[in-house]
Amino acid sequence: MLGRNNVDKRSNSIEAMLLSLHQMGLTVCWYERRGQWLASLREAALARVRHAWLDRLDASLPVAAAVATKAVRLCLKIRYPKRHGFIFKKLPLVSDHAEDLRRFMRQLPAQEVFIVSHSAGGIKAASLADEPAVKKLVCFGYPFKHPDNPDEAYRTARLAAIGKPFLVIQGNRDEYGSARDAARYKLSPSIVVAPIDTDHDYDALDESLFGEVLQLLQHFLLQSPPLGHRASGQQSQSRCIF
């Protein structure tokens, strides 16, 4: 699963669908950018320090604890630097994001990978469509156009050349482009745009719509052979939702 750039805007409905797929026996791998991963390590380390001694210091000497907290946070930022931090952006520890994605996917044990994405994750998914292990792609709310910006080629340039089945589930009220807006762009014949009644967040879908979209997702991912592709050789039993 490739999520949005804004990691605080995760969709409960999409996550519930992924859980349903997992309960069907599919492995679900949620990719986190290195910056997200390092941020979680910083917070976990700070929690350990608080538990070990910082909370006791705060109870007795609040001013000293505030200074100590800032010092600890600074040390943790050095230990787990932000991916695009000003000081560290030129160091090799902040390798290219696309390179990280490819390396992560190539380390997966699954021989067949389905990429499910949301928003900007769909742009990243399109850049990985040429990976041999990738069999199908799905995007909830492909960001065809930022509502405050003119058309940006990097968002749609790869869509015309994708040769693998790609299901785009697009809200009719999506501010980043509705299903009707998608017709303005040159899309590969392998791309299917399915309109649903929602906005870009794809959150809190009602029970009926949730069931409809989940059924669409299950049918698209699990039908065999993939749309537009003939089976060749023995079908792999290992599949992974990425």
Side-chain angles (χ1 to χ4, degrees):
M1 175 66 197
L2 300 178
R4 303 180 64 169
N5 281 340
N6 187 338
V7 296
D8 295 327
K9 291 188 174 182
R10 290 169 64 157
S11 163
N12 291 331
S13 294
I14 294 176
E15 292 190 9
M17 291 183 201
L18 293 174
L19 177 60
S20 295
L21 293 172
H22 177 65
Q23 291 170 342
M24 294 174 59
L26 296 175
T27 301
V28 178
C29 308
W30 193 292
Y31 175 80
E32 288 187 343
R33 289 172 295 169
R34 184 174 297 189
Q36 294 173 248
W37 175 60
L38 292 173
S40 65
L41 292 178
R42 287 196 300 271
E43 291 306 312
L46 179 60
R48 291 194 296 271
V49 172
R50 288 188 183 281
H51 179 73
W53 59 269
L54 194 53
D55 284 344
R56 293 195 299 274
L57 180 63
D58 188 43
S60 57
L61 298 169
V63 175
V67 174
T69 299
K70 290 183 179 180
V72 170
R73 287 188 179 277
L74 177 60
C75 292
L76 292 176
K77 286 182 178 179
I78 294 173
R79 174 66 180 85
Y80 305 111
K82 288 184 178 180
R83 181 167 171 73
H84 295 295
F86 176 76
I87 296 176
F88 303 98
K89 64 183 178 180
K90 294 187 182 298
L91 298 183
L93 54 84
V94 289
S95 58
D96 180 70
H97 182 37
E99 179 186 336
D100 284 349
L101 272 170
R102 289 187 183 276
R103 185 183 301 114
F104 175 82
M105 190 169 60
R106 289 171 182 175
Q107 291 175 349
L108 292 174
Q111 296 176 357
E112 293 187 1
V113 175
F114 304 145
I115 301 181
V116 179
S117 57
H118 182 197
S119 188
I123 300 174
K124 303 180 187 75
S127 71
L128 294 169
D130 60 339
E131 285 290 323
V134 174
K135 304 305 177 185
K136 299 181 183 180
L137 307 96
V138 176
C139 182
F140 290 88
Y142 192 92
F144 292 99
K145 180 184 180 300
H146 192 286
D148 298 327
N149 298 335
D151 282 341
E152 298 165 293
Y154 81 91
R155 294 177 177 272
T156 56
R158 293 187 177 92
L159 298 182
I162 289 178
K164 296 177 181 177
F166 193 171
L167 174 63
V168 176
I169 302 172
Q170 201 74 7
N172 288 329
R173 294 179 279 110
D174 193 323
E175 61 269 32
Y176 284 80
S178 66
R180 180 173 295 181
D181 294 329
R184 296 172 41 212
Y185 302 95
K186 186 176 181 180
L187 305 180
S188 161
S190 298
I191 296 177
V192 175
V193 180
I196 66 170
D197 184 24
T198 188
D199 57 16
H200 192 67
D201 290 338
Y202 291 77
D203 205 9
L205 302 181
D206 63 48
E207 184 176 351
S208 175
L209 184 56
F210 178 90
E212 177 185 336
V213 177
L214 178 58
Q215 186 176 22
L216 173 65
L217 183 61
Q218 291 171 337
H219 177 72
F220 175 76
L221 291 177
L222 300 180
Q223 63 181 339
S224 179
L227 287 175
H229 294 258
R230 294 184 178 181
S232 58
Q234 184 176 2
Q235 185 180 5
S236 168
Q237 296 301 310
S238 177
R239 291 190 174 92
C240 181
I241 302 297
F242 171 34

